[in-house]
Amino acid sequence: MSPPRRILIYGVYGSGKSTLAARLAEHLGLPWYPVDDLLWEPGWVEVPVARQRGRIEEICRRDRWIVDGAYHGWRDVPLARADLVVGLDYPRWLSFGRLLRRTVRRVRTGEEICNGNRETLGSVLSPDSILVWHVTAFGRARRRMRAWRTDPSAPPVVLLRSPAELDDWLATLPGR
């Protein structure tokens, strides 16, 4: 089996998309393009969707890439070019627990997320909180991944339902 060269990692907030992207980039020697860096300007100003789409189109025209997400205004772009979609289809309690721990850590340490942006107590308690996004997006993300898996026109989809399944799957991938 030859390793994939264009990988879309998909899952709900907190499922571990970026962590997996970093692991795959190292293991396969592929460039990783963190989606948050493409979507957010300093001050948590969202990049207009048309510009997001242009940035993703430029990346996806390349022969080798990993992207760690796909959003409404341009989800079709990586799907059309991916050799593989890796869906992190973890239980809600697991992904939400990871997200909550990560968010608390980031608020406490002031860790930079992207382009100088940081999570704050105010952002976590706001109606636009990433914790609220998780709750509202979980079912849609899960249904979307599962639909892609059964769609013959979609790229191959590996659905992983636990960190143990992820580790087992990674062990089967050839390295660089």
Side-chain angles (χ1 to χ4, degrees), residues 138-156:
F138 182 85
R140 285 190 310 271
R142 175 171 267 183
R143 286 188 299 276
R144 190 171 289 121
M145 286 184 280
R146 292 176 178 184
W148 290 340
R149 187 170 192 202
T150 62
D151 182 350
S153 67

Side-chain angles (χ1 to χ4, degrees), residues 3-172:
R5 296 176 305 129
R6 296 180 301 272
I7 302 172
L8 168 60
I9 301 172
Y10 195 78
V12 74
Y13 308 100
S15 59
K17 297 181 300 292
S18 298
T19 301
L20 176 56
R23 287 177 74 182
L24 282 174
E26 174 67 27
H27 185 79
L28 298 172
L30 294 173
W32 164 37
Y33 300 93
V35 168
D36 283 346
D37 291 344
L38 306 171
L39 303 186
W40 299 104
E41 297 294 338
W44 287 115
V45 174
E46 186 174 7
V47 172
V49 173
R51 243 176 70 220
Q52 291 177 28
R53 186 175 181 87
R55 290 174 175 183
I56 291 296
E57 286 173 338
E58 183 205 329
I59 289 165
C60 291
R61 278 193 293 269
R62 299 173 186 168
D63 288 331
R64 304 168 70 244
W65 47 262
I66 297 172
V67 293
D68 58 352
Y71 295 99
H72 65 284
W74 47 265
R75 188 177 296 121
D76 60 308
V77 176
L79 272 176
R81 290 270 299 150
D83 296 327
L84 179 68
V85 175
V86 179
L88 298 177
D89 192 14
Y90 295 167
R92 182 187 299 263
W93 64 266
L94 178 61
S95 58
F96 188 81
R98 285 177 162 191
L99 180 64
L100 182 60
R101 282 189 303 279
R102 181 187 82 188
T103 301
V104 167
R105 183 192 77 236
R106 285 177 170 176
V107 168
R108 194 178 69 246
T109 65
E111 174 185 335
E112 183 179 322
I113 299 164
C114 62
N115 297 320
N117 294 310
R118 291 172 167 75
E119 289 177 296
T120 64
L121 188 56
S123 70
V124 172
L125 298 177
S126 81
D128 288 330
S129 168
I130 194 165
L131 301 174
V132 172
W133 290 353
H134 179 284
V135 171
T136 61
F138 182 85
R140 285 190 310 271
R142 175 171 267 183
R143 286 188 299 276
R144 190 171 289 121
M145 286 184 280
R146 292 176 178 184
W148 290 340
R149 187 170 192 202
T150 62
D151 182 350
S153 67
V157 176
V158 173
L159 282 185
L160 303 166
R161 290 178 166 73
S162 71
E165 278 189 21
L166 170 61
D167 290 339
D168 291 346
W169 177 74
L170 285 172
T172 69

